[in-house]
Amino acid sequence: MTAHANREKNRATGKDPWARFGWLMAVVWLVFLVYPVIALLRSEAALTWVVVGWVALVAFVVLYVTGFIHGMRGGGGLGRPPSTRQWVTFGALILCALISVPAEGGSALSFLPFIMSFASYGLTRVWHWITTIAAVTVTALCVFLLPGGLSYLSVLAIVALLGVVNTVSTWLILRSAEAEQLGLELATSEGREAVARDVHDLIGHSLTVVGLKAQLVRRLMDSDPERAKSELADIERLTAEAIAGVRSTVAGVRATTLVEQLASSRDSFRAADIEMQVEGEPNALSPVQAITASWILREATTNSLRHSRARTVRVLLHPGRLVVEDDGVGIVAAEGNGIRGMRERAAVAGAAFALDTTENEGTRVEVTW
C-alpha cells in the first residue's frame, strides 16, 4: 500500500492525528462569532426573527465544525473531490447566514470568513475563487452603500485579508501535495527501474550461462556422457538460483558477494572455454564497494560471454578499483541496458565508470572510487 493510500485510509478511519484533532482549529476561530451573538442580544427585530437568528447561529456552528471534521477525514477538498455532504453543508451555511440578517443586520457579515474558509479548504479551487470574490464584493457593497456601513470597514479588511491568506495557503498545500505525489511516482519509477535492472542483470547472466552449458552438453552427450550429466546438473542449479534470485530481487533483499560472483564468473567462463585471470583479492575493496563491484562484474561477465568472442578475461582488484578487460573484438555496438545499468550503479555508489578499448582491441571496464 502506498503512503498516499495509507494517508487516505488514516483519514477515513480517524487514525490520522490531524484528522482527529484538527477540528480544534475550527473551534478556536469560532470566537469571532461573538459579534453576531452581541447583535442578537441587542437586536430590536421581531422576536420571531431573533429566535430564528439564534437557531441559525447554533446550526451554523454545528454545520461548520462537523463539515470541517468530515472534510479532514476524507470528505474532500484541497485537490480531492468534495462529497455530496460537503456541498449540502456549504449551502446550509449560506442559508444560515442569510436568515440571520433580519435579526443581526450588518453583523451577519461575520459569517462570511467562515464560509470563505469552508469553500477554500473543503470544496474545489473554483469555488474558493467564487466564494472569495462574492464575499469581498458583498462586504464592500454593505460598507459603502448601506447607512452606517463604514462601521463594518474592519470586517471588509478581515474578509479581504482572509481571501489572500486562504489563496496563498491553499496554493501552497496543493503544491506540496503535488510535489509529494510526484515524489512518490518518481520513487516508484526508480524502484521499478532498479528491479528491472536487477532482473536484467540476473536473468541475462544466468540465461547466457545456461545457453552456453546447453551447447556444451549437446557436444558432450556422445563423447563424454558423465561430464554432460555434470553440466546438466549445473544448468539445473543455475536455473534454481535464477528463480530464487528473481524472487528475492522483487522482495528487495537479494545481494551477491564479490567472492561468490568471482566464483560464478569463473565457472561461466570455463563453460565457454574462456580463461579467467584474477589479480588481487576481493578484500581489497570495502564491503560497500564490493557490493557494487559484484554487480558490475556480473554484467561485465555477461557482456563478455555474449559479445566479445574473447579467449581471456582479466579481473583486477585493487583498493578502490575494479577492472575487467578481455581480448575480444572490442566495443562493437551502442550502449545497451547492461552498460547503462553499470554506469548507474557506479554513479549511485559514488564511483567513476569508464568503458574503453584495450591495447589489444578488447574491451575494458573500469570502476574507481
Side-chain angles (χ1 to χ4, degrees):
M1 182 178 290
T2 66
H4 177 72
N6 279 326
R7 201 163 46 247
E8 292 300 318
K9 181 179 179 181
N10 287 339
R11 285 180 182 273
T13 59
K15 293 181 180 180
D16 183 356
W18 174 247
R20 293 176 62 187
F21 304 112
W23 60 272
L24 291 173
M25 185 181 71
V27 172
V28 168
W29 291 109
L30 290 175
V31 67
F32 290 103
L33 290 179
V34 66
Y35 298 108
V37 170
I38 293 174
L40 287 172
L41 291 174
R42 297 176 178 178
S43 179
E44 296 179 358
L47 179 62
T48 302
W49 283 115
V50 173
V51 172
V52 170
W54 281 110
V55 171
L57 179 61
V58 173
F60 186 92
V61 171
V62 173
L63 288 167
Y64 180 74
V65 174
T66 57
F68 196 91
I69 295 173
H70 176 68
M72 296 182 69
R73 294 186 177 179
L78 290 177
R80 294 172 293 135
S83 66
T84 301
R85 176 177 169 179
Q86 290 294 87
W87 291 109
V88 172
T89 300
F90 180 64
L93 290 174
I94 295 175
L95 178 62
C96 288
L98 290 175
I99 63 177
S100 297
V101 173
E104 300 172 9
S107 294
L109 293 173
S110 297
F111 290 110
L112 291 180
F114 298 94
I115 295 174
M116 290 169 60
S117 296
F118 189 89
S120 297
Y121 295 95
L123 300 180
T124 65
R125 194 66 174 168
V126 172
W127 276 94
H128 155 76
W129 286 111
I130 292 174
T131 308
T132 298
I133 293 172
V136 172
T137 302
V138 169
T139 306
L141 290 174
C142 291
V143 168
F144 296 113
L145 298 182
L146 294 180
L150 289 177
S151 60
Y152 299 107
L153 190 60
S154 60
V155 178
L156 176 59
I158 292 173
V159 168
L161 180 60
L162 184 63
V164 174
V165 171
N166 285 346
T167 299
V168 173
S169 62
T170 52
W171 182 84
L172 291 174
I173 291 171
L174 289 172
R175 294 294 82 76
S176 175
E178 290 174 1
E180 182 180 8
Q181 183 62 29
L182 181 61
L184 289 172
E185 292 175 357
L186 181 60
T188 300
S189 176
E190 289 176 347
R192 288 174 178 170
E193 289 179 1
V195 171
R197 184 172 61 243
D198 290 353
V199 170
H200 170 271
D201 292 348
L202 178 66
I203 294 299
H205 172 79
S206 298
L207 291 183
T208 298
V209 176
V210 167
L212 291 170
K213 284 183 174 291
Q215 295 174 14
L216 181 60
V217 167
R218 187 172 58 204
R219 294 197 302 268
L220 295 174
M221 285 184 65
D222 296 328
S223 60
D224 193 346
E226 290 302 317
R227 186 180 173 188
K229 290 180 181 179
S230 176
E231 295 296 338
L232 284 173
D234 280 347
I235 291 175
E236 184 179 1
R237 176 182 57 79
L238 286 168
T239 304
E241 288 178 355
I243 293 173
V246 170
R247 288 174 178 169
S248 56
T249 295
V250 173
V253 297
R254 184 176 65 83
T256 301
T257 68
L258 182 55
V259 173
E260 292 172 340
Q261 185 55 52
L262 284 167
S264 176
S265 296
R266 189 183 298 278
D267 182 64
S268 301
F269 285 131
R270 184 172 57 247
D273 292 327
I274 298 175
E275 180 186 0
M276 177 178 171
Q277 302 172 352
V278 179
E279 297 180 15
E281 297 294 332
N283 57 15
L285 300 176
S286 71
V288 175
Q289 294 171 347
I291 294 174
T292 302
S294 68
W295 278 109
I296 292 178
L297 176 58
R298 176 191 293 273
E299 185 58 39
T301 300
T302 302
N303 287 346
S304 293
L305 290 171
R306 285 180 174 176
H307 310 299
S308 71
R309 298 201 291 273
R311 304 311 304 167
T312 303
V313 173
R314 295 176 64 236
V315 178
L316 286 72
L317 298 169
H318 299 297
R321 184 164 168 257
L322 166 71
V323 177
V324 181
E325 59 182 24
D326 60 50
D327 59 358
V329 296
I331 304 170
V332 296
E335 292 188 3
N337 290 331
I339 295 176
R340 283 196 296 270
M342 287 192 284
R343 286 191 186 279
E344 291 172 3
R345 288 185 181 279
V348 170
F353 177 85
L355 177 67
D356 205 350
T357 302
T358 67
E359 295 179 358
N360 298 323
E361 302 301 324
T363 302
R364 177 187 178 92
V365 172
E366 181 173 0
V367 183
T368 307
W369 283 267

